[in-house]
Amino acid sequence: MFRMDILSEDGFARLCKLHIKQENLKINTPAYILPISDFLSKFPSYLNLANKNNVIYSISHYAQHLPTNLDHHLTLCNENTTYYNGVTEEPEAYIPNISSSPSRVCFFFSKQCPSIFFSDEFAIEWYKTFFEEIFSEIQQNPEKFRQLGGFGLIVNLQHIINYELLEPVLREYLDHPIIKEHLLAIEFQGLFDNKLDYSSSINFFFHLKSLLPADVLYIASGNIKPYEYGFIISLGFDAIDLTYLIYSGFSGLYFHHEEEMEWVRKLNSEDDFACVCEFCKILQDNISSSESNIISSEYYALIALHNVSMGLVELDRIRNNIKNGSISTYVEKKSNYSLFLLSALRYLRKTYKNQLTRVQSLNKSTNLPCTSSLSYSNPNVEKFRRSVMANVEPNSETRICIFLPCSMVKPYSKSKSHRKFHKIIRSASRKWNKYISEVIITSPLSLVPRELEEVFPAAHYDISVTGDWDAEELTITADGIVSWIEKLPIDVKLIGFLHGGYKQAFELALLKLKDEKQLYYDYSIVQDNDSFKKLIEESIQSLELNHKKNKVDSSLSREELTIKMLADFQLGVGAGKILIGTTARFLQSRNELYKTIVGFESYGKLQLARYDRSSGHIRLNYHGGEKLKNHSNISVVLNTSDITGTTIFKPAIAKVGENLCSGDEIVILGPQNEYLGIGSLIVNSNTVARMRRGAVVKIRKMKKEV
Amino acid sequence: MTNKKIADLIQEQTQHLRSIATEKIQSFKDRDLSRPVTSWIKEDRLQNEMGYEFTIIFRTCACSWVRSDSAGCTMCGYYNDKGPDSIPQKLILTQMQYAVNKHLSKLEEIQKNGGKTTLKIFSSGSFLDDEEFSPITRLDVINKAIKLPSIDHVLAESRPEFVKHETLDPIIEITGKGSFELGIGMESSNDYVRKTLINKGFTSMDLQHSMKIAQNSHVLVKTYLLLKPPFLTEKLAIRDAVTSIKKAISWGANSISLNPVNIQAYTLTEYLFNNRKYRPPWIYSVISVFQQALSPSIMDKVLILCSPSASGSFRGVHNCHDKSCNTRWLNILNEFIKTQDKKIIDPDHLTYNDCSCWGEYNVFLEYSSI
């Protein structure tokens, strides 16, 4: 039977690999499920549609004749139809009666009779019967069940009105040890059929998912349109069943690119088929040649094939977006196509804000276009804002804090305007430069300290600028500024080179400080270079007067400050200080994308970490990890110190630091909390608890055996 | 298993809908009890040849099963035609006289042309139920029937619990052996489907027992099978019907009538249909059942019938929106019933691809839950 490995996660979305060892088969998710029936097998182009790396077939009878080219591929078999539950008839079995099941077939337990529910109460009774029948059959036939090597489950949610009534019943049964131990795949059938009540579907899925193992193939089926795939996969589904597309096609519903669809009887001209797929070409020829072909079932089959190819393209794009780490922006884009989807995404981002932020990895370097107000709550953006607020401390020596507007070119310091700012600040501040800190005000990131300007998403986001800021932007930004100013000494001089929305946000922040916290700051706002320079010079003069000349200078250097802020941002408060130790500095690598962070201790020079300038991510080296071994919450504790290979699997894990994400740097500790090495997490730390097997940590460097 | 609870819920829902029907019926003006619900004469397939059927649907106090607490079957809406709870028995004979007067000339014409007619006595209940037809009325009806021109065969319907030697023997004495046929609503050979999903209320054992009694009394047995009861998918429904046909033959049925469900008022099927949780069967399915279930040896032994109500409409057996598609396939079906020639529905000779709905049907069959 197949084994499922999670390769990486981005938020709730994930990339997995299904292995079938005996067949030497590997399938990547997000996958699609293509139904195979005798009827559909008659269309050779249908069978050729599938990309072998991403397809899973589904059949409804084990004995069904599979086309030869589909042999040896992962096949889900929804064999049984249990309904002979009568008095004189023996009940049909859930466990198929076959001597040995081939490893490529995963059997699903489902009940097709009664096939629908007329009320939620009926559904609840149905489910009780269903699960009790399954469990009792398994208990009576342990040997037969063992031979299956695991099973799939179909949860039929078509026609369910109130998910809240059904949820406790399902929770009770899905919590069963048999399910926890042997479940391989679960299909939520019709979960997204009711577009008006997306919020209930989301809650229902998350509540049940939290009970189920993580290394289970989550399948969504039912009335799902291609533009919804991204959203559904971003919730944590691994596969989409394409039956709906086929059925729509055969009923004459033609899916255009993106959101539109149209009944084929209304598509009367060649131009209506705005698609270049092979099937649309034939459709176009047909439409121009004769009228009579248009109602034949072969013609409708072409529409079905076109629809499927549309779905496949969509899933390919989603897979790429997860790989790049841009699934959240992709889903934002797609939400423009349907109001229901938009509501769903807004609900998700609002209700599950904390959970989403917690699992959002920032170790990436993809572009982050902020296209709508939805982007304000993009988990990448939210995580950045939160990390800056919670983890990053400004230079404690700051006497003057300069607030600057953002620029289109990223990182900011590369832009023309910021080069100019830099020149002015340097020439005006002279040797007092170290008492000045710069922050950049921007929407929707709120505030970016100069030191973090290369970090994702500060150097990767983009937003359309009109000069007008909406109320939400202003509030979000002002909150960020408030939290930053509060961390500065009370006698700090605030200088803003700001205009328009930037100015409004800055003033709103100061007003908040005044009204809500009774904190008064000395601030000035300028809008031209000359007065900017003058203002800095004046501030420096008053700084000179007040500064005690013979104070011993123990502060961090500029470089150390950057290292400290980067490390704090990424690894939590205090990490920077521990990492730097006595003193540390950057060393430019030959490749200009990287810098090495080198520490200098009394016993010599240590390579602590590598800084990736394209993502702003710090990759710890062995010595860097050793320094951080006691730093809270970035460690993975193992229950054995006997580790070989480059991967640590679930059974060896004793404890994982909380709220870590896939791709995060971690320190590997042994059973007695002794330092073993460093690596990065493959899955989110809250996924680890739900895993039964599979890789958790990718080791970078381990302590050599003594 | 807790299947009982599911059966109870189905029954409760049926009861609820039946109570709405009862209210509705009471609001109707008094029905004319001296006339039957309806009556007609039309061409029909007889045991060995084509002939005619003379159908009278009597208005009685309704089927005993629907009168009971069980509220009747989930797809049956004939309750809506019921008369008051007690009907003077002489009115039943008046109803018959009314129908006979109406169609007498036609019957005489058929006799003149040498045709044969079957009289079908329906009440949407049980002819053998003393509450509906008292023993005296029953024999009066039969006596009248056999004296009518061209009638050589009488068919009546009954639930199995009323099938007794003491009821049947007097009838056979009048009609003679082999001229009286009893229709029994077997619906399915599967007890779960019949008892729980259809709420029919009797088991296969009861049914087989009654069929034995009828056969011993030299009564021909016609079994009605239901295609696509509620809560079965199209595919399961086909499977169920195929199995049921085979079982019905092995239990001794002389003829089998396959009835695709049509949506009748105030029934559970209508409730499901209105909520888009039920679709009446496709005509393709009816054909498919016959293709799968019938072998030449069966065709020699048993008469296969199918005259679906509301066929071609949304509430009855239908394929797609296209009228010509429905008509074409219903014609094929009728032709098969008329000739009893299985070649007509041989899949190799049928052209399926003409209508766009053939593809839809195949995908629906495999993947739809309604």
Short mmCIF file of all heavy atoms in Angstrom, two decimals, chain A residues 35 39 60-61 81 83-84 88 92 113-118 125 129 133 158 243 247 250 295 297-298 300, chain B residues 1-2 5 9 190-192 231-232 235 239 247 272 277 353 355-356 359-360 362-364 366-367 369:
data_model
loop_
_atom_site.label_atom_id
_atom_site.label_comp_id
_atom_site.label_asym_id
_atom_site.label_seq_id
_atom_site.Cartn_x
_atom_site.Cartn_y
_atom_site.Cartn_z
N PRO A 35 -11.61 9.50 -12.71
CA PRO A 35 -12.43 8.30 -12.64
C PRO A 35 -12.27 7.49 -13.91
O PRO A 35 -12.17 8.05 -15.01
CB PRO A 35 -13.86 8.85 -12.53
CG PRO A 35 -13.79 10.19 -13.17
CD PRO A 35 -12.41 10.71 -12.95
N PHE A 39 -17.18 3.13 -19.73
CA PHE A 39 -17.61 4.13 -20.70
C PHE A 39 -16.49 5.12 -21.01
O PHE A 39 -16.18 5.38 -22.17
CB PHE A 39 -18.85 4.86 -20.16
CG PHE A 39 -19.33 5.97 -21.05
CD1 PHE A 39 -19.98 5.68 -22.23
CD2 PHE A 39 -19.12 7.30 -20.70
CE1 PHE A 39 -20.42 6.70 -23.06
CE2 PHE A 39 -19.56 8.32 -21.52
CZ PHE A 39 -20.20 8.02 -22.70
N SER A 60 -14.78 1.79 -9.69
CA SER A 60 -15.84 1.46 -8.75
C SER A 60 -16.00 -0.05 -8.53
O SER A 60 -16.79 -0.45 -7.70
CB SER A 60 -17.16 2.08 -9.18
OG SER A 60 -17.29 2.03 -10.56
N HIS A 61 -15.25 -0.83 -9.27
CA HIS A 61 -15.27 -2.27 -8.99
C HIS A 61 -13.87 -2.82 -9.12
O HIS A 61 -13.18 -2.52 -10.08
CB HIS A 61 -16.18 -3.02 -9.95
CG HIS A 61 -17.61 -2.77 -9.69
ND1 HIS A 61 -18.20 -3.18 -8.53
CD2 HIS A 61 -18.55 -2.10 -10.39
CE1 HIS A 61 -19.47 -2.80 -8.54
NE2 HIS A 61 -19.69 -2.13 -9.66
N THR A 81 -21.06 -1.44 -1.97
CA THR A 81 -22.28 -0.68 -2.10
C THR A 81 -23.23 -1.03 -0.99
O THR A 81 -24.42 -0.85 -1.13
CB THR A 81 -22.94 -1.05 -3.42
OG1 THR A 81 -22.90 -2.46 -3.53
CG2 THR A 81 -22.23 -0.44 -4.59
N TYR A 83 -25.79 -2.72 0.80
CA TYR A 83 -27.22 -2.48 0.98
C TYR A 83 -28.00 -3.74 1.26
O TYR A 83 -29.13 -3.67 1.67
CB TYR A 83 -27.80 -1.70 -0.20
CG TYR A 83 -28.21 -2.52 -1.41
CD1 TYR A 83 -29.53 -2.52 -1.83
CD2 TYR A 83 -27.28 -3.27 -2.09
CE1 TYR A 83 -29.91 -3.26 -2.95
CE2 TYR A 83 -27.65 -4.00 -3.20
CZ TYR A 83 -28.96 -3.98 -3.63
OH TYR A 83 -29.33 -4.70 -4.73
N TYR A 84 -27.41 -4.88 1.06
CA TYR A 84 -28.14 -6.10 1.33
C TYR A 84 -28.14 -6.37 2.82
O TYR A 84 -27.58 -7.33 3.30
CB TYR A 84 -27.54 -7.27 0.56
CG TYR A 84 -28.02 -7.30 -0.86
CD1 TYR A 84 -27.34 -6.62 -1.85
CD2 TYR A 84 -29.19 -7.95 -1.18
CE1 TYR A 84 -27.81 -6.60 -3.15
CE2 TYR A 84 -29.67 -7.94 -2.48
CZ TYR A 84 -28.98 -7.27 -3.46
OH TYR A 84 -29.45 -7.26 -4.73
N THR A 88 -33.21 -11.75 4.90
CA THR A 88 -32.87 -13.03 4.30
C THR A 88 -31.53 -12.99 3.57
O THR A 88 -31.00 -14.01 3.20
CB THR A 88 -33.95 -13.45 3.30
OG1 THR A 88 -34.13 -12.36 2.40
CG2 THR A 88 -35.25 -13.76 3.99
N GLU A 92 -23.67 -7.11 2.52
CA GLU A 92 -22.47 -7.02 1.68
C GLU A 92 -21.31 -6.56 2.54
O GLU A 92 -21.49 -5.76 3.44
CB GLU A 92 -22.71 -6.00 0.58
CG GLU A 92 -23.40 -6.59 -0.60
CD GLU A 92 -23.44 -5.64 -1.76
OE1 GLU A 92 -22.95 -4.51 -1.61
OE2 GLU A 92 -23.98 -6.03 -2.80
N CYS A 113 -26.00 3.06 0.16
CA CYS A 113 -27.43 2.89 0.35
C CYS A 113 -27.76 3.01 1.82
O CYS A 113 -27.16 2.29 2.60
CB CYS A 113 -27.86 1.54 -0.20
SG CYS A 113 -29.57 1.20 0.12
N PRO A 114 -28.64 3.86 2.23
CA PRO A 114 -29.33 4.87 1.45
C PRO A 114 -28.33 5.89 0.87
O PRO A 114 -27.42 6.29 1.57
CB PRO A 114 -30.25 5.56 2.46
CG PRO A 114 -30.36 4.61 3.62
CD PRO A 114 -29.10 3.85 3.64
N SER A 115 -28.57 6.27 -0.36
CA SER A 115 -27.56 7.08 -1.04
C SER A 115 -27.68 8.57 -0.72
O SER A 115 -26.75 9.32 -0.97
CB SER A 115 -27.66 6.88 -2.54
OG SER A 115 -28.89 7.38 -3.00
N ILE A 116 -28.80 9.00 -0.19
CA ILE A 116 -28.94 10.42 0.16
C ILE A 116 -29.64 10.54 1.53
O ILE A 116 -30.19 9.58 2.05
CB ILE A 116 -29.76 11.20 -0.89
CG1 ILE A 116 -31.04 10.47 -1.23
CG2 ILE A 116 -28.98 11.44 -2.16
CD1 ILE A 116 -32.20 11.01 -0.56
N PHE A 117 -29.56 11.74 2.07
CA PHE A 117 -30.20 12.00 3.36
C PHE A 117 -31.31 13.01 3.15
O PHE A 117 -31.11 13.99 2.46
CB PHE A 117 -29.21 12.60 4.35
CG PHE A 117 -27.83 12.02 4.28
CD1 PHE A 117 -26.72 12.84 4.12
CD2 PHE A 117 -27.64 10.66 4.38
CE1 PHE A 117 -25.45 12.30 4.04
CE2 PHE A 117 -26.38 10.12 4.30
CZ PHE A 117 -25.27 10.94 4.13
N PHE A 118 -32.48 12.77 3.75
CA PHE A 118 -33.51 13.80 3.59
C PHE A 118 -33.52 14.76 4.75
O PHE A 118 -34.18 15.78 4.72
CB PHE A 118 -34.90 13.19 3.34
CG PHE A 118 -35.43 12.32 4.43
CD1 PHE A 118 -35.97 12.87 5.58
CD2 PHE A 118 -35.40 10.95 4.30
CE1 PHE A 118 -36.45 12.05 6.58
CE2 PHE A 118 -35.88 10.13 5.31
CZ PHE A 118 -36.40 10.69 6.45
N GLU A 125 -27.99 9.28 11.78
CA GLU A 125 -28.26 7.85 11.94
C GLU A 125 -27.49 7.03 10.90
O GLU A 125 -26.95 5.98 11.19
CB GLU A 125 -29.76 7.56 11.78
CG GLU A 125 -30.58 7.94 12.99
CD GLU A 125 -30.03 7.37 14.28
OE1 GLU A 125 -29.61 6.20 14.30
OE2 GLU A 125 -29.99 8.12 15.28
N THR A 129 -24.73 4.08 11.72
CA THR A 129 -24.81 2.73 11.17
C THR A 129 -23.55 2.39 10.38
O THR A 129 -22.95 1.32 10.55
CB THR A 129 -26.01 2.62 10.20
OG1 THR A 129 -27.09 3.31 10.77
CG2 THR A 129 -26.38 1.19 9.95
N GLU A 133 -21.02 -0.54 11.42
CA GLU A 133 -20.89 -1.69 10.51
C GLU A 133 -19.43 -1.93 10.17
O GLU A 133 -18.94 -3.06 10.19
CB GLU A 133 -21.68 -1.44 9.22
CG GLU A 133 -23.16 -1.71 9.35
CD GLU A 133 -23.98 -1.20 8.16
OE1 GLU A 133 -23.38 -0.60 7.23
OE2 GLU A 133 -25.18 -1.38 8.18
N GLN A 158 -22.86 15.45 0.85
CA GLN A 158 -23.84 16.05 -0.04
C GLN A 158 -25.14 16.18 0.73
O GLN A 158 -25.51 15.29 1.49
CB GLN A 158 -24.07 15.14 -1.25
CG GLN A 158 -22.88 15.10 -2.17
CD GLN A 158 -23.01 13.95 -3.15
OE1 GLN A 158 -23.28 12.82 -2.74
NE2 GLN A 158 -22.84 14.23 -4.40
N THR A 243 -14.26 14.27 -11.31
CA THR A 243 -15.52 13.73 -11.85
C THR A 243 -16.51 14.84 -12.20
O THR A 243 -17.21 14.76 -13.21
CB THR A 243 -16.16 12.80 -10.82
OG1 THR A 243 -15.18 11.89 -10.38
CG2 THR A 243 -17.32 12.04 -11.42
N TYR A 247 -18.62 15.24 -15.60
CA TYR A 247 -20.08 15.23 -15.61
C TYR A 247 -20.63 16.52 -16.21
O TYR A 247 -21.56 16.50 -17.02
CB TYR A 247 -20.62 15.00 -14.19
CG TYR A 247 -22.12 14.86 -14.17
CD1 TYR A 247 -22.73 13.78 -14.80
CD2 TYR A 247 -22.93 15.81 -13.57
CE1 TYR A 247 -24.10 13.65 -14.83
CE2 TYR A 247 -24.31 15.69 -13.59
CZ TYR A 247 -24.88 14.60 -14.22
OH TYR A 247 -26.24 14.48 -14.26
N PHE A 250 -20.28 16.38 -19.96
CA PHE A 250 -21.28 15.54 -20.62
C PHE A 250 -22.68 16.13 -20.52
O PHE A 250 -23.57 15.78 -21.28
CB PHE A 250 -21.25 14.12 -20.06
CG PHE A 250 -20.18 13.27 -20.68
CD1 PHE A 250 -19.06 12.89 -19.98
CD2 PHE A 250 -20.31 12.87 -22.00
CE1 PHE A 250 -18.07 12.12 -20.56
CE2 PHE A 250 -19.33 12.08 -22.60
CZ PHE A 250 -18.20 11.71 -21.88
N ILE A 295 -25.28 17.73 -31.36
CA ILE A 295 -25.98 17.11 -30.25
C ILE A 295 -25.53 15.67 -29.98
O ILE A 295 -26.00 15.04 -29.06
CB ILE A 295 -27.51 17.13 -30.45
CG1 ILE A 295 -27.86 16.56 -31.81
CG2 ILE A 295 -28.08 18.53 -30.28
CD1 ILE A 295 -29.24 16.00 -31.85
N SER A 297 -23.39 12.52 -28.63
CA SER A 297 -22.72 12.40 -27.34
C SER A 297 -21.20 12.50 -27.48
O SER A 297 -20.51 12.88 -26.54
CB SER A 297 -23.14 11.13 -26.63
OG SER A 297 -22.41 10.05 -27.11
N GLU A 298 -20.66 12.18 -28.67
CA GLU A 298 -19.21 12.33 -28.87
C GLU A 298 -18.79 13.79 -28.77
O GLU A 298 -17.72 14.11 -28.27
CB GLU A 298 -18.79 11.79 -30.24
CG GLU A 298 -18.54 10.31 -30.23
CD GLU A 298 -19.38 9.62 -31.26
OE1 GLU A 298 -20.29 10.28 -31.80
OE2 GLU A 298 -19.15 8.42 -31.52
N TYR A 300 -20.20 16.02 -26.93
CA TYR A 300 -20.20 16.39 -25.51
C TYR A 300 -18.99 15.80 -24.79
O TYR A 300 -18.48 16.38 -23.83
CB TYR A 300 -21.50 15.94 -24.84
CG TYR A 300 -22.63 16.92 -25.05
CD1 TYR A 300 -22.95 17.38 -26.31
CD2 TYR A 300 -23.37 17.41 -23.97
CE1 TYR A 300 -23.97 18.29 -26.52
CE2 TYR A 300 -24.39 18.33 -24.16
CZ TYR A 300 -24.69 18.76 -25.44
OH TYR A 300 -25.69 19.67 -25.63
N MET B 1 -27.43 -4.04 14.27
CA MET B 1 -27.22 -2.74 13.61
C MET B 1 -28.37 -1.79 13.94
O MET B 1 -29.47 -2.21 14.28
CB MET B 1 -27.14 -2.94 12.09
CG MET B 1 -25.91 -3.69 11.67
SD MET B 1 -24.39 -2.88 12.19
CE MET B 1 -23.37 -4.30 12.46
N THR B 2 -28.11 -0.55 13.76
CA THR B 2 -29.14 0.44 14.12
C THR B 2 -29.99 0.83 12.91
O THR B 2 -30.53 1.91 12.87
CB THR B 2 -28.46 1.71 14.67
OG1 THR B 2 -27.51 2.12 13.73
CG2 THR B 2 -27.83 1.48 16.00
N LYS B 5 -33.51 2.43 13.21
CA LYS B 5 -33.71 3.86 13.37
C LYS B 5 -33.90 4.54 12.01
O LYS B 5 -34.74 5.42 11.87
CB LYS B 5 -32.48 4.44 14.10
CG LYS B 5 -32.65 5.81 14.67
CD LYS B 5 -33.53 5.84 15.90
CE LYS B 5 -34.03 7.24 16.23
NZ LYS B 5 -33.12 8.06 16.97
N LEU B 9 -37.15 6.58 10.76
CA LEU B 9 -37.11 7.95 10.25
C LEU B 9 -37.82 8.05 8.90
O LEU B 9 -38.54 9.01 8.63
CB LEU B 9 -35.67 8.44 10.12
CG LEU B 9 -34.99 8.80 11.44
CD1 LEU B 9 -33.49 9.03 11.21
CD2 LEU B 9 -35.61 10.05 12.05
N ASN B 190 -35.23 -7.73 -2.44
CA ASN B 190 -34.37 -7.44 -1.31
C ASN B 190 -35.19 -6.91 -0.15
O ASN B 190 -35.91 -5.92 -0.27
CB ASN B 190 -33.34 -6.40 -1.75
CG ASN B 190 -32.35 -6.09 -0.67
OD1 ASN B 190 -32.73 -5.66 0.42
ND2 ASN B 190 -31.09 -6.31 -0.93
N ASP B 191 -35.07 -7.56 1.00
CA ASP B 191 -35.88 -7.16 2.14
C ASP B 191 -35.55 -5.77 2.64
O ASP B 191 -36.43 -5.03 3.07
CB ASP B 191 -35.70 -8.17 3.28
CG ASP B 191 -36.64 -9.34 3.11
OD1 ASP B 191 -37.58 -9.21 2.31
OD2 ASP B 191 -36.44 -10.37 3.77
N TYR B 192 -34.28 -5.43 2.58
CA TYR B 192 -33.90 -4.10 3.07
C TYR B 192 -34.53 -3.02 2.20
O TYR B 192 -35.09 -2.05 2.69
CB TYR B 192 -32.38 -3.96 3.07
CG TYR B 192 -31.91 -2.63 3.58
CD1 TYR B 192 -32.03 -2.29 4.92
CD2 TYR B 192 -31.36 -1.68 2.71
CE1 TYR B 192 -31.62 -1.06 5.38
CE2 TYR B 192 -30.94 -0.45 3.16
CZ TYR B 192 -31.07 -0.15 4.50
OH TYR B 192 -30.67 1.08 4.96
N PHE B 231 -33.61 6.48 -2.36
CA PHE B 231 -32.39 6.11 -1.60
C PHE B 231 -31.49 5.11 -2.30
O PHE B 231 -30.53 4.63 -1.73
CB PHE B 231 -32.71 5.57 -0.19
CG PHE B 231 -33.59 6.46 0.62
CD1 PHE B 231 -34.92 6.17 0.83
CD2 PHE B 231 -33.08 7.63 1.16
CE1 PHE B 231 -35.74 7.00 1.58
CE2 PHE B 231 -33.88 8.47 1.91
CZ PHE B 231 -35.20 8.16 2.12
N LEU B 232 -31.84 4.74 -3.53
CA LEU B 232 -30.91 3.91 -4.30
C LEU B 232 -30.35 4.75 -5.44
O LEU B 232 -31.09 5.53 -6.05
CB LEU B 232 -31.63 2.70 -4.89
CG LEU B 232 -31.96 1.51 -3.99
CD1 LEU B 232 -32.39 0.34 -4.85
CD2 LEU B 232 -30.78 1.11 -3.14
N LYS B 235 -27.42 3.17 -10.42
CA LYS B 235 -26.69 1.95 -10.69
C LYS B 235 -27.17 0.81 -9.79
O LYS B 235 -27.39 -0.31 -10.24
CB LYS B 235 -25.20 2.21 -10.44
CG LYS B 235 -24.30 1.18 -11.02
CD LYS B 235 -22.87 1.59 -10.82
CE LYS B 235 -21.93 0.54 -11.36
NZ LYS B 235 -20.55 0.88 -11.10
N ARG B 239 -29.19 -2.78 -10.58
CA ARG B 239 -28.73 -4.05 -10.02
C ARG B 239 -29.85 -4.71 -9.23
O ARG B 239 -30.07 -5.93 -9.32
CB ARG B 239 -27.54 -3.77 -9.11
CG ARG B 239 -26.69 -4.98 -8.87
CD ARG B 239 -25.50 -4.59 -8.04
NE ARG B 239 -25.54 -5.29 -6.78
CZ ARG B 239 -24.67 -5.08 -5.81
NH1 ARG B 239 -23.74 -4.16 -5.94
NH2 ARG B 239 -24.74 -5.77 -4.70
N LYS B 247 -35.17 -13.33 -9.26
CA LYS B 247 -35.78 -13.95 -8.07
C LYS B 247 -37.27 -14.19 -8.29
O LYS B 247 -37.80 -15.25 -7.96
CB LYS B 247 -35.58 -13.03 -6.85
CG LYS B 247 -34.21 -13.14 -6.21
CD LYS B 247 -34.19 -14.23 -5.15
CE LYS B 247 -32.77 -14.62 -4.76
NZ LYS B 247 -32.05 -13.55 -4.08
N LEU B 272 -38.21 14.28 -1.85
CA LEU B 272 -36.80 14.19 -2.26
C LEU B 272 -36.60 14.86 -3.62
O LEU B 272 -35.64 15.60 -3.83
CB LEU B 272 -36.36 12.73 -2.35
CG LEU B 272 -36.35 11.95 -1.04
CD1 LEU B 272 -36.09 10.47 -1.31
CD2 LEU B 272 -35.28 12.49 -0.10
N LYS B 277 -33.01 15.67 -4.57
CA LYS B 277 -32.31 14.51 -4.05
C LYS B 277 -32.81 13.24 -4.71
O LYS B 277 -32.54 12.14 -4.25
CB LYS B 277 -32.51 14.42 -2.53
CG LYS B 277 -31.89 15.58 -1.78
CD LYS B 277 -32.15 15.48 -0.31
CE LYS B 277 -31.66 16.72 0.40
NZ LYS B 277 -31.94 16.68 1.83
N ASN B 353 -25.39 6.81 -29.54
CA ASN B 353 -24.66 8.08 -29.59
C ASN B 353 -25.43 9.24 -30.19
O ASN B 353 -24.95 10.35 -30.22
CB ASN B 353 -23.36 7.90 -30.37
CG ASN B 353 -22.26 7.42 -29.46
OD1 ASN B 353 -22.39 7.57 -28.24
ND2 ASN B 353 -21.22 6.86 -30.01
N CYS B 355 -27.97 10.94 -29.21
CA CYS B 355 -28.33 12.07 -28.34
C CYS B 355 -27.20 12.36 -27.37
O CYS B 355 -26.52 11.46 -26.89
CB CYS B 355 -29.61 11.78 -27.59
SG CYS B 355 -30.11 13.22 -26.62
N SER B 356 -27.04 13.62 -27.06
CA SER B 356 -25.95 14.04 -26.18
C SER B 356 -26.10 13.45 -24.79
O SER B 356 -25.14 13.36 -24.04
CB SER B 356 -25.93 15.56 -26.09
OG SER B 356 -27.13 16.00 -25.49
N GLY B 359 -23.90 10.19 -22.98
CA GLY B 359 -22.68 10.37 -22.20
C GLY B 359 -23.01 10.79 -20.79
O GLY B 359 -22.47 10.26 -19.82
N GLU B 360 -23.92 11.73 -20.67
CA GLU B 360 -24.31 12.22 -19.35
C GLU B 360 -24.85 11.06 -18.52
O GLU B 360 -24.52 10.91 -17.34
CB GLU B 360 -25.37 13.31 -19.50
CG GLU B 360 -25.74 13.97 -18.19
CD GLU B 360 -26.87 14.99 -18.35
OE1 GLU B 360 -27.23 15.30 -19.50
OE2 GLU B 360 -27.38 15.44 -17.33
N ASN B 362 -24.19 7.89 -18.74
CA ASN B 362 -23.14 6.96 -18.30
C ASN B 362 -22.35 7.50 -17.12
O ASN B 362 -21.96 6.75 -16.23
CB ASN B 362 -22.21 6.64 -19.46
CG ASN B 362 -22.74 5.50 -20.27
OD1 ASN B 362 -22.64 4.35 -19.88
ND2 ASN B 362 -23.39 5.84 -21.38
N VAL B 363 -22.10 8.79 -17.14
CA VAL B 363 -21.34 9.37 -16.03
C VAL B 363 -22.25 9.45 -14.79
O VAL B 363 -21.83 9.17 -13.67
CB VAL B 363 -20.78 10.75 -16.41
CG1 VAL B 363 -19.92 11.30 -15.30
CG2 VAL B 363 -19.96 10.63 -17.68
N PHE B 364 -23.50 9.83 -15.03
CA PHE B 364 -24.48 9.88 -13.94
C PHE B 364 -24.58 8.52 -13.27
O PHE B 364 -24.56 8.40 -12.04
CB PHE B 364 -25.83 10.30 -14.53
CG PHE B 364 -26.95 10.39 -13.53
CD1 PHE B 364 -27.25 11.60 -12.92
CD2 PHE B 364 -27.72 9.28 -13.21
CE1 PHE B 364 -28.28 11.69 -12.00
CE2 PHE B 364 -28.75 9.37 -12.30
CZ PHE B 364 -29.03 10.58 -11.69
N GLU B 366 -22.54 6.17 -13.01
CA GLU B 366 -21.38 5.75 -12.26
C GLU B 366 -21.17 6.59 -11.00
O GLU B 366 -20.73 6.10 -9.99
CB GLU B 366 -20.15 5.86 -13.17
CG GLU B 366 -19.04 4.89 -12.89
CD GLU B 366 -19.41 3.45 -13.18
OE1 GLU B 366 -20.02 3.16 -14.24
OE2 GLU B 366 -19.10 2.63 -12.34
N TYR B 367 -21.49 7.88 -11.09
CA TYR B 367 -21.02 8.77 -10.02
C TYR B 367 -22.08 9.57 -9.29
O TYR B 367 -21.76 10.27 -8.35
CB TYR B 367 -19.97 9.74 -10.59
CG TYR B 367 -18.86 9.00 -11.28
CD1 TYR B 367 -18.73 9.00 -12.66
CD2 TYR B 367 -17.97 8.24 -10.52
CE1 TYR B 367 -17.73 8.28 -13.28
CE2 TYR B 367 -16.98 7.51 -11.14
CZ TYR B 367 -16.86 7.53 -12.52
OH TYR B 367 -15.88 6.80 -13.12
N SER B 369 -25.22 10.31 -6.80
CA SER B 369 -25.80 9.67 -5.63
C SER B 369 -27.32 9.81 -5.62
O SER B 369 -27.97 9.38 -4.68
CB SER B 369 -25.21 10.28 -4.36
OG SER B 369 -25.63 11.60 -4.23
#
